[in-house]
Amino acid sequence: MKSDSQGNCKKENLLLYAVTDRNWLNGKSLYSQVENALKGGVTFVQLREKNLDDAAFLEEAKEIQKLCRKYHVPFVINDNVDIAAQIDADGVHVGQSDMEAGDVRRKLGSGKIIGVSAQTVEQAVRAQEHGADYLGVGAVFPTGSKADAVEVSHETVREICEAVDIPVIAIGGITKDNVTELAGTGICGIAVISAIFAQREIEDAARLLKERVEETVQK
């Protein structure tokens, strides 16, 4: 049975976790897109940048951090532990090929949120042992957002949720139409990119998706 919070990360903050992606900007600013998502009820924001140089990434991170603080929503950086430390972000999310959770903890300190991607029970348990605050498990559906994404069965998601005490969110290919298929797995929320940022009306998309996720995690 999971506790309502673990370490630095409250379970309810992970309900609707938005991961940024500038592929969907379509002439808009990332700032405006994230603000629309926050207005729609997003509960957690991860800044994910694969192609910006460090100087541009740093400036963007500072802007989005201020926005998230305005809405009182946790803000983490994907992979880049140095920038997370430099701006005093709420935390960082790392993959299996990135820095180990324990090393991230030593670099950022005890008060920061550390999320880790996991695809197996073994990876999940190891991440928890090394100090992860939450897990992102997937891809739970086929996804185009990550070329090397490994698909994870819903049964494996359930097994991971049963094996760890920290909160688990599902990631990968989740939409408003398929999210309810995750009911009963034990997740406390979902992480999405295109289900929010690729939509014409981001605020409305976030609001509807949040309603569907609330229904899903209560079942």
Side-chain angles (χ1 to χ4, degrees):
M1 183 73 178
K2 290 187 180 63
S3 58
D4 286 342
S5 64
Q6 173 74 22
N8 306 303
C9 194
K10 292 183 178 179
K11 185 177 173 181
E12 58 266 26
N13 288 340
L14 293 164
L15 183 70
L16 183 54
Y17 182 127
V19 182
T20 68
D21 187 340
R22 58 181 47 253
N23 287 329
W24 302 107
L25 290 182
N26 297 319
K28 299 175 183 175
S29 71
L30 189 69
Y31 186 97
S32 68
Q33 287 198 330
V34 173
E35 182 154 40
N36 285 334
L38 289 165
K39 286 178 179 176
V42 160
T43 59
F44 202 109
V45 173
Q46 178 193 132
L47 181 62
R48 182 174 181 261
E49 289 290 2
K50 297 296 184 181
N51 301 310
L52 285 186
D53 61 48
D54 280 353
F57 191 175
L58 180 61
E59 288 311 304
E60 182 180 76
K62 288 176 180 176
E63 284 190 0
I64 304 300
Q65 180 182 40
K66 286 180 186 175
L67 185 58
C68 290
R69 284 179 175 170
K70 175 183 172 183
Y71 284 85
H72 308 290
V73 166
F75 171 70
V76 300
I77 303 287
N78 177 262
D79 291 350
N80 198 318
V81 180
D82 290 333
I83 283 185
Q86 195 169 345
I87 70 165
D88 194 28
D90 294 314
V92 70
H93 186 93
V94 294
Q96 286 294 313
S97 61
D98 301 314
M99 191 184 293
E100 191 77 68
D103 296 327
V104 177
R105 177 69 68 206
R106 280 186 286 277
K107 192 172 181 72
L108 294 185
S110 61
K112 298 301 182 182
I113 299 168
I114 297 176
V116 177
S117 298
Q119 288 79 41
T120 67
V121 170
E122 181 185 21
Q123 290 175 355
V125 171
R126 185 171 67 244
Q128 175 176 269
E129 289 173 348
H130 288 184
D133 291 296
Y134 73 88
L135 300 172
V137 175
V140 294
F141 298 104
T143 176
S145 296
K146 196 173 181 187
D148 59 347
V150 176
E151 202 160 332
V152 176
S153 72
H154 297 178
E155 181 57 36
T156 297
V157 176
R158 187 178 295 108
E159 290 171 358
I160 288 173
C161 288
E162 291 171 352
V164 299
D165 297 315
I166 55 178
V168 175
I169 56 173
I171 62 175
I174 301 170
T175 70
K176 63 180 176 57
D177 299 315
N178 64 20
V179 64
T180 54
E181 294 176 33
L182 296 166
T185 56
I187 61 168
C188 67
I190 62 167
V192 295
I193 300 176
S194 60
I196 290 177
F197 293 115
Q199 308 310 307
R200 186 182 297 274
E201 298 296 337
I202 289 174
E203 185 176 341
D204 291 343
R207 188 172 291 111
L208 175 57
L209 190 56
K210 187 177 184 181
E211 290 174 4
R212 298 273 172 90
V213 182
E214 287 172 337
E215 293 171 11
T216 300
V217 300
Q218 287 168 4
K219 290 180 180 178

